[in-house]
Amino acid sequence: MTMILYYIFITLVAAITMMYPSSLTSPSSSPTSSSSSSCYPCILHLHGGGMSLLRATDLCYVRWRDELAAQGVVVFGVEFRNAAGECGPHPFPAGLEDCASALKWIHNNLVINTVNNNNYTYNFNISGPIILNGDSGGGNLCLALAIKAKRDGFLPMIGGVYAMSPYISGAYGWSRDAKLKEMPSLIENDEYFIGCSFNSIIARLYDHDGKYAREPPCC
């Protein structure tokens, strides 16, 4: 059974959960010595939930980060502010700002010193730039963070984006005619999994008055 170390850092705006590569769980030769410095790729994982629900500590997301870390990468998860639920209510752009802060924190702390459960110290480096990964609302935040990074001048921190089934439209509450004209797939695929009626509620939670309805980092 592969053991993954678990650690939590607290920043000003969010809790950052780190999953270490399984290769770091082997004790060094003595309690006072450190393992030789190793360099690992890094993933910043942003959980799903329509930017409004769920948490980074939900078991499905802990399992996902565990599985990624078992492949030999360092994985961070962010407990960003949600538009509703336990981590809410904080509409756009609060959650996106938390994710940006997490990305910058990782980039500025590429050399990690940590201690495992047996008090053996390990030093390792994170090889940048950082890969963004997320599903649904987390996929939205990955894409939005890349757009924000380009606009605000920190795009070189990002090495790639892997957005899985991203929640990328605030158009769920549009009229039927508007949907057919601009996004007919919303009509064609309605209720296959989650319907437009539910998603329109999530969209309103994230952007209360529709101010950012056509602003790419939001919708």
Side-chain angles (χ1 to χ4, degrees):
M1 179 177 178
T2 301
M3 176 181 178
I4 306 296
L5 296 177
Y6 186 92
Y7 206 84
I8 296 179
F9 295 89
I10 304 298
T11 70
L12 292 176
V13 292
I16 302 179
T17 301
M18 176 189 285
M19 302 300 186
Y20 300 104
S22 56
S23 59
L24 296 179
T25 61
S26 301
S28 54
S29 57
S30 69
T32 58
S33 66
S34 298
S35 61
S36 59
S37 180
S38 300
C39 198
Y40 293 88
C42 177
I43 294 174
L44 174 58
H45 173 254
L46 309 176
H47 70 79
M51 304 83 69
S52 300
L53 306 170
L54 306 180
R55 302 192 62 169
T57 51
D58 289 345
L59 292 180
C60 59
Y61 295 121
V62 173
R63 174 62 183 269
W64 176 248
R65 294 192 300 270
D66 280 346
E67 294 293 337
L68 291 173
Q71 304 306 309
V73 299
V74 176
V75 187
F76 291 83
V78 186
E79 197 71 277
F80 52 81
R81 288 172 289 177
N82 275 334
E86 291 182 83
C87 296
H90 303 287
F92 176 86
L96 178 59
E97 294 292 346
D98 289 352
C99 296
S101 295
L103 174 66
K104 293 174 183 177
W105 186 92
I106 298 168
H107 180 266
N108 293 330
N109 292 271
L110 294 180
V111 178
I112 303 296
N113 300 309
T114 189
V115 179
N116 79 346
N117 294 331
N118 296 315
N119 293 321
Y120 289 99
T121 301
Y122 299 91
N123 301 315
F124 62 98
N125 301 325
I126 294 172
S127 62
I130 298 152
I131 304 299
L132 307 180
N133 168 242
D135 68 291
S136 190
N140 171 296
L141 287 167
C142 287
L143 297 169
L145 183 52
I147 294 171
K148 178 177 176 61
K150 183 175 181 180
R151 289 180 174 180
D152 294 353
F154 58 96
L155 186 61
M157 296 182 186
I158 300 174
V161 176
Y162 185 45
M164 303 181 296
S165 58
Y167 180 113
I168 56 172
S169 171
Y172 298 105
W174 289 2
S175 68
R176 180 179 177 84
D177 288 344
K179 289 175 185 174
L180 286 172
K181 181 179 179 180
E182 294 193 44
M183 299 189 70
S185 62
L186 291 178
I187 300 295
E188 296 163 357
N189 299 296
D190 193 20
E191 302 294 345
Y192 274 171
F193 177 52
I194 299 176
C196 286
S197 58
F198 176 81
N199 278 331
S200 66
I201 296 172
I202 297 297
R204 287 198 300 272
L205 289 171
Y206 194 53
D207 179 21
H208 289 171
D209 55 9
K211 179 180 178 181
Y212 302 102
R214 292 183 179 272
E215 177 67 14
C218 178
C219 62

